[in-house]
Amino acid sequence: AVVLMSVAVLWNRAKWLAVSFVFNGAITLALPIATVFAQDWRLPSGDLVLERYVGRSDISQKIADVAQAEGLDTVVTDNRGFLADMFHTLRGSDLTIRAVPVDGFAPHHYALKLPLEPGEGPVLYIDKGDDPPNCVRSAQPRQVALWRPEEGQYVGDITAWRVDRSCWTP
């Protein structure tokens, strides 16, 4: 609706219409270029310009590799960012991706629509930091991987735990 309104307003103002086309064309060309050079564009401080988007798929792929090495087919986390990227990056894989079930109001879409189902059997729990999952029952989680991405939004320790899915079942 805004595009139609803008064209209607700018229609009789040829100079401003041309400026808007040049501006929008530049943005349209810059976005694909930004994806190609995302790891190279840095601020004077040395931080990545597109820090928020860099490294996410690498983390998801590492999670898939750890799950495969452990022989697990379900990955669980309460980190919305990890969930979102895993659903995107790992679509088409054999992994089942689930959110830690919560009591009460779901903090995000994945906790609402895709919580881990109750049952038995091991799952791979992923979290930032090195604290084990908060289990309702004593499920004896076992740390199976710890790594640290060097740049991107998630800089710091990421830990993978092998834990029984009954961990979150009261």
Side-chain angles (χ1 to χ4, degrees):
V2 172
V3 170
L4 295 175
M5 188 177 76
S6 299
V7 170
V9 168
L10 295 174
W11 190 255
N12 293 326
R13 297 177 176 107
K15 178 181 169 184
W16 285 108
L17 186 61
V19 168
S20 74
F21 280 131
V22 169
F23 178 75
N24 289 312
I27 290 173
T28 302
L29 292 174
L31 289 175
I33 292 170
T35 61
V36 172
F37 295 106
Q39 303 226 1
D40 299 326
W41 284 359
R42 297 188 180 273
L43 297 171
S45 65
D47 294 335
L48 289 169
V49 172
L50 299 173
E51 175 180 281
R52 179 176 183 183
Y53 306 104
V54 173
R56 287 179 174 230
S57 59
D58 294 338
I59 292 170
S60 293
Q61 194 55 56
K62 173 71 174 178
I63 291 168
D65 293 344
V66 171
Q68 182 180 18
E70 287 294 313
L72 300 173
D73 62 356
T74 303
V75 178
V76 181
T77 184
D78 55 4
N79 184 298
R80 190 217 168 273
F82 290 165
L83 286 165
D85 194 74
M86 283 190 292
F87 272 105
H88 174 72
T89 303
L90 303 178
R91 69 177 174 259
S93 74
D94 294 335
L95 286 176
T96 302
I97 301 161
R98 294 291 181 252
V100 171
V102 295
D103 292 329
F105 183 76
H108 50 75
H109 168 79
Y110 303 102
L112 178 66
K113 296 291 187 180
L114 298 164
L116 180 68
E117 305 86 11
E120 297 295 323
V123 297
L124 186 69
Y125 173 76
I126 304 294
D127 200 9
K128 294 185 339 185
D130 59 359
D131 293 329
N134 292 327
C135 292
V136 175
R137 296 174 45 186
S138 62
Q140 307 270 338
R142 180 173 56 91
Q143 183 178 334
V144 294
L146 172 68
W147 71 97
R148 175 179 286 234
E150 295 300 322
E151 56 184 12
Q153 185 177 13
Y154 299 115
V155 174
D157 292 341
I158 298 175
T159 309
W161 300 86
R162 184 183 185 105
V163 61
D164 195 274
R165 73 174 55 228
S166 66
C167 168
W168 297 280
T169 305

